[in-house]
Amino acid sequence: MKLGICIGFILIANIILAQESPRIVLNGKINANSMDLEGVYVINLKTEKSTISEKEGYFAISAIPGDTLLFSAVHLKEIRICLHQEDFEKGLFLVKMEPMITYLKEIVVKRYDNINAFSLGIVSKGKRSYTPAERKLYTATSLSPTSSYTGMAGGSISADPLLNWISGRTKMLKKELEVENKEFYLLQLENMFDKNYFANHLKIPLDYIKGFEYYIVENARFTTVLKTKNKTNIEFAMVTLAENYIKIIASENQ
């Protein structure tokens, strides 16, 4: 009797399983704040079947209500969605995913003074490093690269330097180099002295500080002192120039 009951239960269970609804194709689209929506993995965890989203995030996978879909991509946060009957009644099943953002707790910037163009072998040790304006002027006025450095034996003189001189390009590049040097001097001054120093110590009016900086970098004697980077000597040189500049301001305002 008991054996018959067990067999009956088994037969009923098989009938129920056999009558399980067949899976249908679910069409969906992934939305995210990302232009790259192609290649997102869509996995049915119940059947272990999977697919990959196409361009613009479209995908299609077989499923039924009750199945769970897993959406996964390197640049998106993984999500799992349990499907319901209403999800199949929509024309398109929409899935919202969030971008994967990694927050850094701390950024440490280390300065390695021993790593430079010379230590890396980019520039030979002892060889001068040229600024962009200096390189342009050197290229426009130098001999042909085929000329040797010792008497030009085996080489020839390029006509470019002469043509550049006639056309005025050499003069223009020299002027460009002068401007670059003045910009460098101005930057050096701003790094060494703030506006309070010019206003309180040198008595330069706030509206005239920038003009004073341009005034002193035009002075060849002062720029020679500025190149030494000796702050005491630079301050001493600026005192006299400041007195002269204040007189110029006073004469212009009369």
Side-chain angles (χ1 to χ4, degrees):
M1 181 68 179
K2 291 182 178 179
L3 179 61
I5 294 173
C6 291
I7 294 173
F9 276 119
I10 294 173
L11 291 173
I12 294 172
N14 289 333
I15 293 172
I16 294 173
L17 291 174
Q19 292 178 346
E20 183 181 11
S21 301
R23 285 179 168 78
I24 59 176
V25 176
L26 176 67
N27 294 308
K29 183 180 185 302
I30 298 169
N31 291 325
N33 295 326
S34 172
M35 298 297 292
D36 186 12
L37 296 176
E38 184 176 4
V40 178
Y41 284 94
V42 184
I43 305 171
N44 188 327
L45 297 179
K46 186 73 173 290
T47 63
E48 297 184 353
K49 301 293 183 179
S50 65
T51 186
I52 299 176
S53 64
E54 300 177 353
K55 192 175 182 181
E56 298 181 358
Y58 291 99
F59 68 92
I61 191 168
S62 296
I64 59 173
D67 287 355
T68 299
L69 299 184
L70 170 67
F71 297 83
S72 177
V74 175
H75 60 293
L76 299 172
K77 292 182 180 179
E78 179 181 294
I79 62 170
R80 300 186 181 204
I81 300 177
C82 181
L83 297 176
H84 301 282
Q85 182 60 42
E86 55 266 25
D87 295 327
F88 292 83
E89 296 171 356
K90 301 174 184 178
L92 194 64
F93 178 54
L94 299 179
V95 179
K96 177 66 176 178
M97 297 187 72
E98 298 293 334
M100 179 69 73
I101 301 176
T102 302
Y103 294 96
L104 300 178
K105 293 183 179 179
E106 183 181 7
I107 298 177
V108 179
V109 180
K110 293 184 178 180
R111 179 175 176 177
Y112 297 93
D113 294 329
N114 60 326
I115 299 179
N116 49 51
F118 298 110
S119 64
L120 295 175
I122 299 174
V123 178
S124 301
K125 192 172 183 179
K127 190 175 180 180
R128 181 182 174 185
S129 178
Y130 291 93
T131 66
E134 287 175 333
R135 285 196 295 270
K136 289 180 182 178
L137 180 60
Y138 177 80
T139 302
T141 58
S142 64
L143 298 175
S144 169
T146 58
S147 301
S148 67
Y149 288 100
T150 55
M152 296 174 293
S156 60
I157 300 177
S158 172
D160 288 345
L162 180 60
L163 294 176
N164 289 327
W165 179 77
I166 294 174
S167 65
R169 185 169 185 269
T170 300
K171 185 177 180 180
M172 178 194 69
L173 292 175
K174 287 182 178 179
K175 187 66 176 178
E176 184 178 329
L177 178 59
E178 291 177 6
V179 172
E180 183 185 69
N181 288 335
K182 289 175 183 177
E183 290 176 349
F184 175 77
Y185 296 146
L186 289 170
L187 181 61
Q188 185 178 342
L189 282 173
E190 291 176 359
N191 291 333
M192 295 181 70
F193 307 98
D194 58 17
K195 290 184 177 181
N196 292 329
Y197 176 84
F198 292 107
N200 300 329
H201 188 75
L202 298 179
K203 307 302 180 185
I204 304 295
L206 287 173
D207 293 339
Y208 290 89
I209 291 176
K210 181 58 67 175
F212 175 69
E213 292 177 349
Y214 281 103
Y215 171 73
I216 59 180
V217 298
E218 292 285 350
N219 188 293
R221 185 174 297 180
F222 174 75
T223 55
T224 301
V225 177
L226 189 61
K227 290 177 184 178
T228 65
K229 298 183 180 180
N230 187 311
K231 193 170 183 179
T232 302
N233 292 340
I234 294 171
E235 290 177 350
F236 182 78
M238 281 198 295
V239 170
T240 303
L241 292 171
E243 293 174 352
N244 294 336
Y245 190 71
I246 291 173
K247 291 178 181 178
I248 294 173
I249 295 174
S251 63
E252 290 179 350
N253 292 334
Q254 288 180 353

